[in-house]
């Protein structure tokens, strides 16, 4: 009997109630002498016991073989886990994000945040970009099919920058305000080597008494040296943003002397302070904002920003 099925067949055929040995028992009546009946009955019982024992033994053997086969088939090769298990690490963007927070917290800033789905008012209007302001066109805005209470159709957007966190912070707390707001932002852009429709920015906002452009320049320079190194420098170049006046771009200078454009900044526009519930006669402030991913790729010499979001381990593992 090579299988449990064979054992069952043989059991029925020889040892079962309708089996051949039981059949022989029924024929005992046809024997005439008592002694013959006894002898034949004993022989049949002996044969039955022997057949039962043989079937039991084969059942046990087959069950043991089945268990052994299952154990073998479920065997796990653990040799690949022997030694030090490989550990993951934070993504390059997360690393940059966290280091930026550390550096600014070290300079006395608090980390603030706001929603990724914003109202037109926080994202544009309160930042001195009323309906029809030409600067709105520079933000390729993604609209959300949702009308906030009191809002109109098309007035809910995916935030195009972290600047609306300035407004939310001013509305939530009194000066002095010293915050940075890192976060995800969205624009209707086709991905290419320097653009992604989803990317990351960090916003800075200071509102206090007697804040001047010198405080802004000093803060940018202190940040540059703390984040990039003591032998890096910074400079401001005149520029324009609706939410700051005056406005500037800030560049950082590598130790080899070359300049890289990093972000925008300026003195918070009085209209923006007013929208945030702060009296521009009493308080002044500065703000800045720049791209975290852009900064990370410049720092590490990555040629294409799309590499950052392709989730290719051959790329990400280079930044452990
Ligand atoms: N929000 C601007 C952008 O996304 C960047 C920016 C410029 C932020 C100047 C600021 C600022 O806070 O003062 O292009």
């Amino acid at each position: 009997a090579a299988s449990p099925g064979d054992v069952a067949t043989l059991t029925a055929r020889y040892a079962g109630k309708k089996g051949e040995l039981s059949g022989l028992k029924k024929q005992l009546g046809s024997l005439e002498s008592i002694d013959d009946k006894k002898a034949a009955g004993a022989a049949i019982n002996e044969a039955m016991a022997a057949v039962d024992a043989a079937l039991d033994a084969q059942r046990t053997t087959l069950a043991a073989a089945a268990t052994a086969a299952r154990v073998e088939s479920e065997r796990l090769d653990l040799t690949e886990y022997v030694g030090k298990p490989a550990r993951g690490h934070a993504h390059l963007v997360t690393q940059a994000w966290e280091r930026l927070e550390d550096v600014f917290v070290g300079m006395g800033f608090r980390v603030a945040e706001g929603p990724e789905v914003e109202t037109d008012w926080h994202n544009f209007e309160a930042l001195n970009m009323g309906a029809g302001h030409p600067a709105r066109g520079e933000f390729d805005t993604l609209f959300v099919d949702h009308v906030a209470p009191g809002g109109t159709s098309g007035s809910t957007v995916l935030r195009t920058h972290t600047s609306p966190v300035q407004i939310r912070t001013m509305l939530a707390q009194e000066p002095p305000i010293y915050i940075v707001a890192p976060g995800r932002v969205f624009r209707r852009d086709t991905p290419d080597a320097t653009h992604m429709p989803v990317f990351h920015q960090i916003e800075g906002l200071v509102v206090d008494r007697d804040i001047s452009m010198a405080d802004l320049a000093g803060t940018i320079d202190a940040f540059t040296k703390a984040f990039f190194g003591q032998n890096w420098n910074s400079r401001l170049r005149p520029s324009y943003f609706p939410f700051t006046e005056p406005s500037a771009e800030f560049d950082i200078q590598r130790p080899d002397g070359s300049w890289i454009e990093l972000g925008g900044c300026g003195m918070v526009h009085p209209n923006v302070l007013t929208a945030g519930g702060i009296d521009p006669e009493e308080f002044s402030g500065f703000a800045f904002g720049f791209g975290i991913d852009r900064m990370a790729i410049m720092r590490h010499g990555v040629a294409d920003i799309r590499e950052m979001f392709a989730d290719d381990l051959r790329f990400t593992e280079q930044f452990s």
Side-chain angles (χ1 to χ4, degrees):
S3 71
D6 289 351
V7 175
T9 306
L10 292 182
T11 302
R13 181 152 147 208
Y14 295 108
K17 279 196 177 128
K18 293 177 182 163
E20 291 188 15
L21 289 168
S22 297
L24 287 178
K25 263 187 177 170
K26 281 171 199 147
Q27 293 173 39
L28 284 177
S30 64
L31 291 175
E32 290 191 356
S33 92
I34 302 256
D35 283 348
D36 281 354
K37 279 185 189 168
K38 267 190 183 164
I44 291 168
N45 282 342
E46 213 175 285
M48 271 184 137
V51 167
D52 278 345
L55 290 167
D56 274 349
Q58 184 62 357
R59 236 177 250 121
T60 307
T61 303
L62 290 173
T67 304
R70 187 167 54 78
V71 167
E72 183 58 31
S73 77
E74 290 175 0
R75 177 194 291 276
L76 291 177
D77 180 1
L78 298 178
T79 50
E80 66 182 289
Y81 298 105
V82 173
K84 205 170 168 204
R87 291 191 63 184
H89 60 82
H91 188 271
L92 180 52
V93 174
T94 311
Q95 290 176 27
W97 175 318
E98 288 176 350
R99 261 202 76 214
L100 287 165
E101 284 187 354
D102 284 352
V103 167
F104 281 110
V105 166
M107 291 167 66
F109 285 71
R110 196 175 59 77
V111 177
E113 54 184 10
E116 294 177 346
V117 178
E118 259 300 5
T119 66
D120 178 280
W121 188 81
H122 290 90
N123 195 81
F124 292 117
E125 188 99 24
L127 289 164
N128 204 29
M129 285 180 278
H133 194 291
R136 281 180 177 235
E138 284 165 32
F139 298 97
D140 296 300
T141 310
L142 288 156
F143 295 89
V144 175
D145 226 1
H146 163 82
V147 182
T152 54
S153 169
S155 66
T156 308
V157 302
L158 292 183
R159 68 176 177 193
T160 58
H161 50 176
T162 43
S163 302
V165 185
Q166 290 187 33
I167 304 299
R168 291 188 176 271
T169 305
M170 286 189 280
L171 290 172
Q173 75 165 94
E174 301 285 323
I177 293 169
Y178 291 81
I179 59 111
V180 285
R184 209 151 55 138
V185 301
F186 309 83
R187 299 216 188 143
R188 211 187 63 238
D189 259 334
T190 307
D192 65 24
T194 54
H195 295 88
M196 285 294 288
V198 181
F199 57 105
H200 303 87
Q201 288 188 333
I202 184 164
E203 193 79 13
L205 174 69
V206 167
V207 182
D208 206 342
R209 286 176 210 280
D210 304 320
I211 296 294
S212 76
M213 197 90 182
D215 298 308
L216 167 58
T219 301
I220 297 282
D221 204 57
F223 157 72
T224 303
K225 289 177 165 53
F227 190 85
F228 293 95
Q230 285 304 315
N231 44 359
W232 289 60
N233 296 307
S234 66
R235 72 176 177 201
L236 302 185
R237 271 181 300 115
S239 185
Y240 170 77
F241 297 101
F243 25 92
T244 43
E245 181 57 37
S247 302
E249 304 273 354
F250 66 94
D251 304 331
I252 54 174
Q253 187 182 33
R254 295 191 180 99
D256 71 4
S258 60
W259 289 94
I260 322 169
E261 196 180 306
L262 200 59
C265 60
M267 302 306 293
V268 182
H269 194 288
N271 291 353
V272 174
L273 289 171
T274 304
I278 290 170
D279 181 358
E281 299 294 332
E282 195 180 347
F283 293 101
S284 55
F286 66 77
F288 58 85
F290 57 90
I292 297 177
D293 330 79
R294 274 202 66 209
M295 194 206 62
I297 67 174
M298 288 187 307
R299 194 153 168 260
H300 294 283
V302 177
D304 191 323
I305 197 168
R306 288 171 293 191
E307 295 267 29
M308 301 271 277
F309 304 105
D311 275 346
D312 187 332
L313 283 177
R314 289 167 301 182
F315 175 80
T316 53
E317 282 180 345
Q318 293 176 49
F319 306 99
S320 60

